[in-house]
Amino acid sequence: MLSRFQACNLLKKDWVASSVPDSSCSCVTNPLFIIIDSNEVIANYLLGVGRADCTGPVAEIPLMGYANPDQVGGGLLTRLYSRAFIMADLDDSRRVVFVSADIGMVSQRLRLEVLKKLKSKYGELYQQDNVILSGTHTHSGPAGYFQYTLFWITSKGLIRPSLNAIVNGIVKSIDIAHQNVRRGRLFINRGTVQNSQINRSPFSYLANPASERSRYSSNMDKEMVMLKMVDSNGQELGFISWFAVHPVSMNNTNHLVNSDNVGYASYLFEQEKNKGMLPGEGSFVAAFASSNLGDVSPNTKGPFCVNTGESCDNPQSTCPVGGATMCMAMGPGNDMFDSTRIIGQNIYLKARELYEKASQEVTGPLSSAHQWVNMSDVLVELNATHTVKTCKPALGHSFAAGTIDGVGGLNFTQGSVEGDPFWDEIRDLLLGEPSNETKDCHKPKPILFSTGEMTRPHPWHPDIVDVQIAVIGSLAIVAVPGEFTTMSGRRLREAVKREFDSHGTPRMDVVIAGLCNVYTHYITTYEEYQIQRYEAASTIYGPHTLSAYIQLYRGLARAIATNTVQDLPPGPEPPLFNIGNMTLVPALTADRVPANKTFGDVLQEVRPQYRAKEVAEVTFVGANPRNSAENATEHNFLTVERYNNTSDSWQVVKNDASWDTRFYWTKGLLGRSNVTIEWHIPPDTELGIYRIRYFGHYRKKLSISHAVSFPFEGTSSAFEITTP
């Protein structure tokens, strides 16, 4: 072991010790060693964590995920956050940033704008090769942050307030992590999560070779991988966990912005660790990041016909009466809120167990590799004698069928391997017929939208895609640009692991981080692709998409393992389209109030008394919540406050990020609107006197071309929480 003096001067760092002479070292500050009874505890990394709000507008904006144009925001259940984690070598020669954001997915536009802002702040420190942006895949966040045309159709265009809120939130979370970097240690753990998933396309999974399936006990990946972070003083910083489940416990009838089941798991963990803090406050950051969730649903009761109650667990997911539109999967709870709570709590409880028992330390250097690839034109070597190619992007007929988590609205079914003459004719008239080359390339997929051949007003799908791997010691994070199915993810992990093994880096822990950097829909295995359920119809680069990705990620792993990352060609840079204010979201208008009322007045008052488990509800004269989103990055719409007899003051005990509060906005006529706030009183609520407050902004027109927003408040009457 090095002497203290040697270690200090070698690493150019200072340390803390009660018995060290001042002359022993004259390096920079920040402790590396903690000396307790002459035993040295050595930090392995520089670590920083940060969390910032990225909610954006909660009203009149389509929600991203189900592609249902009728599902627009009408309030708030929980806030959305970006959670950033910075890991660096002790000499700070290399850094890796991992961000998990409570959004549907990361779009190319979003990533490019984040990287541009980071460059203006930090120069070359944070770039495309060492910054991973991952979406949790909640289907209840605002849409409108894409530059490709297909996503505008259900998102009502490019919505600047949505995009800006996410960009600013991600950058702010990285800023906070950057400012808090300190010496620390990493620990990894893994374990099985029970009763929280089903495979929603089991008939596709069964198409994979029996010999391959026999190696696994389940048709889903039930394992959670946990990376725990503590500083050199033993202070808990936070963690990243990766687990494969769709955050679709909240179904496509929901209109409240929220982070769904994995967001609720984060909420529970952060509330536990940040004692006495309101949601969104406190230094401990808990990320539940997405993985290979493509065919994994949290709706554990499985698919049933909503009109008859009978099972529709069949290859086409159809019902005898009503067809595919009646086949929906249900979660374990009494309603979607209850299901979200149950699944989120299951995930949280496993994470807490893994966190507390994490003892395997992660050590070793950091590295990262990134390339841009034209996924429309990848030559894939299947073996020594056979090569194939990827295709221009296209979506199949079963894409329009949706899934058992959120069915489509038309008469499409999953498993379609033949086109429909009616829809094909409409497609040809409106959008043009797919070329024979594209049709042949995608077989057996019958093409509904040949998006790779559609360019107006901008391309409908990306050609240029990010592939990226970051390595922290013995952990390799494979950042994938879409939704890999269970078996696709297994094949990719194994291929990357084998590549590391064969180049002298054995025993790597390989995790897949889903929905990173750019969104390219789904990635199925070649065998699953033949079945053409929703996931296969949404594998946009054709039947050999997975093989192409495996080849590409093997190349990244090889470059990292052989220390030749600098020799990787960067690839063709993605475009950044010049898009103006292209949106169908209604323009903000002046807010108005009923006669003899002002903004914030109570229309429906609370009751004088409530018991735990009841719902306290109050309705106010409201204004459009978009005014607040465009007025302030982080605006709190509500508080629940308890009266403190000792100090004769009101103390905030809940805010609009709390799980048990709900904020509903109802649009009326002629600029009028109402806001209803519910507090679902938890069973452990302290007895006493409470009130509910509402905070908004109303828009007032000062002239034909100029309008200004003004803040206002509303307060309910006081009410008492009494014993049952």
Side-chain angles (χ1 to χ4, degrees):
M1 180 178 287
L2 296 173
S3 71
R4 299 178 207 173
F5 180 79
Q6 288 172 316
C8 181
N9 282 286
L10 178 65
L11 293 167
K12 297 287 189 285
K13 305 292 180 184
D14 201 3
W15 45 322
V16 173
S18 58
S19 58
V20 178
D22 291 340
S23 61
S24 66
C25 198
S26 56
C27 311
V28 296
T29 57
N30 287 331
L32 170 62
F33 299 113
I34 305 169
I35 311 303
I36 304 171
D37 296 332
S38 298
N39 292 321
E40 297 175 356
V41 180
I42 303 178
N44 292 310
Y45 299 102
L46 301 174
L47 304 174
V49 302
R51 178 186 55 250
D53 188 285
C54 64
T55 306
V58 302
E60 297 187 298
I61 308 298
L63 302 186
M64 186 67 214
Y66 291 111
N68 180 355
D70 296 327
Q71 191 187 19
V72 297
L76 184 67
L77 174 60
T78 58
R79 288 205 159 265
L80 309 180
Y81 294 101
S82 171
R83 295 175 171 89
F85 302 82
I86 295 175
M87 293 145 280
D89 290 322
L90 279 175
D91 62 2
D92 209 4
S93 59
R94 288 176 176 172
R95 288 194 173 201
V96 167
V97 181
F98 184 87
V99 173
S100 177
D102 290 330
I103 58 176
M105 62 284 290
V106 175
S107 74
Q108 191 172 81
R109 181 87 191 194
L110 172 59
R111 176 166 167 82
L112 293 174
E113 293 205 11
V114 166
L115 289 173
K116 185 178 177 182
K117 286 206 166 198
L118 291 176
K119 185 170 185 178
S120 70
K121 286 190 168 197
Y122 301 106
E124 304 302 311
L125 186 59
Y126 302 123
Q127 302 183 75
Q128 69 269 8
D129 67 314
N130 68 347
V131 175
I132 297 174
L133 305 182
S134 175
T136 62
H137 204 38
T138 175
H139 284 41
S140 297
Y145 54 94
F146 292 80
Q147 67 173 6
Y148 290 96
T149 303
L150 177 82
F151 305 106
W152 294 357
I153 295 170
T154 55
S155 298
K156 298 185 179 178
L158 181 75
I159 304 169
R160 264 287 158 193
S162 277
L163 178 61
N164 291 345
I166 302 170
V167 169
N168 294 336
I170 289 174
V171 172
K172 184 175 180 180
S173 69
I174 294 173
D175 288 342
I176 295 168
H178 179 89
Q179 293 156 11
N180 290 330
V181 164
R182 65 189 80 173
R183 290 168 178 76
R185 305 170 74 190
L186 296 173
F187 298 88
I188 194 167
N189 202 1
R190 60 192 66 72
T192 301
V193 182
Q194 300 289 359
N195 305 318
S196 300
Q197 312 152 288
I198 61 167
N199 189 308
R200 72 183 188 191
S201 281
F203 300 97
S204 297
Y205 182 89
L206 286 171
N208 294 306
S211 58
E212 183 180 33
R213 288 185 280 113
S214 67
R215 295 167 48 207
Y216 303 99
S217 60
S218 173
N219 59 5
M220 304 161 291
D221 282 340
K222 296 185 178 184
E223 185 175 73
M224 175 185 287
V225 178
M226 155 90 58
L227 185 65
K228 174 181 178 178
M229 304 179 183
V230 297
D231 73 9
S232 55
N233 294 313
Q235 180 181 337
E236 299 173 295
L237 301 178
F239 67 83
I240 313 167
S241 66
W242 291 271
F243 177 61
V245 68
H246 254 82
V248 290
S249 292
M250 299 294 291
N251 63 40
N252 62 7
T253 67
N254 167 60
H255 294 275
L256 298 183
V257 168
N258 70 88
S259 52
D260 213 280
N261 46 43
V262 292
Y264 182 58
S266 286
Y267 169 85
L268 290 174
F269 217 120
E270 290 178 350
Q271 284 292 96
E272 178 187 336
K273 292 295 183 180
N274 297 315
K275 294 287 187 192
M277 299 283 190
L278 289 168
E281 299 176 357
S283 61
F284 188 93
V285 180
F288 288 82
S290 60
S291 191
N292 54 318
L293 49 66
D295 52 2
V296 186
S297 169
N299 293 314
T300 53
K301 287 181 181 175
F304 288 87
C305 300
V306 294
N307 51 353
T308 66
E310 60 190 301
S311 173
C312 50
D313 189 13
N314 56 63
Q316 281 72 45
S317 297
T318 58
C319 294
V321 179
T325 58
M326 291 291 113
C327 184
M328 287 283 290
M330 303 295 178
N334 300 321
D335 56 26
M336 60 183 168
F337 297 94
D338 196 32
S339 292
T340 302
R341 179 190 61 79
I342 292 169
I343 299 298
Q345 188 168 48
N346 287 350
I347 297 169
Y348 151 74
L349 289 172
K350 175 52 68 172
R352 189 173 70 173
E353 175 192 325
L354 296 177
Y355 183 88
E356 291 170 352
K357 294 179 179 178
S359 59
Q360 179 186 338
E361 188 154 10
V362 177
T363 60
L366 272 68
S367 186
S368 57
H370 170 278
Q371 285 183 299
W372 286 302
V373 180
N374 183 353
M375 277 300 294
S376 299
D377 189 25
V378 177
L379 188 66
V380 185
E381 296 181 9
L382 293 181
N383 52 46
T385 58
H386 286 77
T387 58
V388 292
K389 283 187 66 175
T390 54
C391 313
K392 290 182 179 180
L395 290 162
H397 275 246
S398 295
F399 163 76
T403 75
I404 58 172
D405 292 329
V407 297
L410 301 170
N411 64 334
F412 290 90
T413 58
Q414 296 198 63
S416 298
V417 291
E418 293 183 2
D420 181 295
F422 173 76
W423 291 112
D424 287 348
E425 186 175 347
I426 290 176
R427 173 205 63 202
D428 294 349
L429 287 170
L430 295 178
L431 304 171
E433 184 179 358
S435 67
N436 289 333
E437 178 188 2
T438 297
K439 287 179 182 178
D440 291 341
C441 190
H442 279 270
K443 284 181 178 177
K445 178 198 292 179
I447 293 175
L448 182 63
F449 300 125
S450 184
T451 52
E453 298 175 315
M454 297 156 65
T455 58
R456 294 183 180 179
H458 294 286
W460 281 48
H461 262 148
D463 289 321
I464 310 305
V465 172
D466 299 69
V467 291
Q468 184 181 20
I469 296 178
V471 169
I472 299 103
S474 57
L475 175 67
I477 303 170
V478 181
V480 299
E483 305 178 53
F484 276 59
T485 61
T486 297
M487 196 63 88
S488 293
R490 288 169 175 168
R491 290 184 190 178
L492 178 61
R493 279 199 306 264
E494 287 186 355
V496 169
K497 187 173 176 58
R498 279 197 307 269
E499 201 67 38
F500 279 116
D501 287 345
S502 64
H503 290 90
T505 313
R507 295 182 294 280
M508 291 289 287
D509 285 296
V510 180
V511 298
I512 288 176
L515 300 131
C516 293
N517 302 335
V518 55
Y519 186 58
T520 64
H521 298 265
Y522 285 74
I523 299 91
T524 65
T525 67
Y526 177 83
E527 295 84 356
E528 291 164 353
Y529 188 90
Q530 308 308 307
I531 308 302
Q532 279 299 302
R533 280 178 61 85
Y534 173 82
E535 295 83 10
S538 306
T539 297
I540 62 175
Y541 300 112
H544 302 292
T545 300
L546 175 60
S547 296
Y549 278 126
I550 287 175
Q551 179 174 291
L552 291 163
Y553 283 103
R554 283 182 61 192
L556 297 183
R558 189 181 315 121
I560 292 172
T562 58
N563 199 25
T564 57
V565 172
Q566 68 277 2
D567 298 330
L568 284 172
E573 289 197 28
L576 185 64
F577 302 133
N578 183 19
I579 303 169
N581 190 25
M582 212 167 192
T583 178
L584 296 176
V585 173
L588 282 168
T589 58
D591 294 283
R592 293 185 172 85
V593 296
N596 303 317
K597 296 288 183 182
T598 60
F599 292 103
D601 280 358
V602 174
L603 294 173
Q604 173 96 32
E605 193 56 274
V606 292
R607 302 201 315 256
Q609 288 187 333
Y610 293 92
R611 294 183 175 91
K613 297 186 178 180
E614 292 187 323
V615 180
E617 181 179 320
V618 56
T619 300
F620 297 94
V621 175
N624 195 322
R626 284 170 57 199
N627 299 327
S628 300
E630 297 187 11
N631 226 357
T633 306
E634 299 173 44
H635 174 78
N636 196 44
F637 287 109
L638 69 92
T639 56
V640 176
E641 301 174 357
R642 184 178 185 276
Y643 182 68
N644 188 314
N645 287 306
T646 306
S647 62
D648 189 27
S649 62
W650 293 90
Q651 177 188 1
V652 176
V653 294
K654 304 284 179 180
N655 61 14
D656 65 6
S658 300
W659 169 253
D660 42 3
T661 61
R662 299 177 192 176
F663 174 85
Y664 293 91
W665 177 70
T666 305
K667 186 176 185 178
L669 298 174
L670 304 174
R672 296 181 184 179
S673 61
N674 294 345
V675 160
T676 297
I677 295 172
E678 293 178 358
W679 178 31
H680 293 244
I681 304 166
D684 59 350
T685 301
E686 190 176 352
L687 303 182
I689 305 298
Y690 290 82
R691 68 182 185 185
I692 296 171
R693 300 182 73 196
Y694 161 45
F695 305 91
H697 292 83
Y698 69 88
R699 187 174 179 86
K700 184 175 183 179
K701 224 169 184 183
L702 301 182
S703 67
I704 294 176
S705 60
H706 187 53
V708 178
S709 292
F710 296 94
F712 67 91
E713 299 178 10
T715 306
S716 77
S717 297
F719 56 92
E720 185 180 11
I721 306 295
T722 63
T723 54

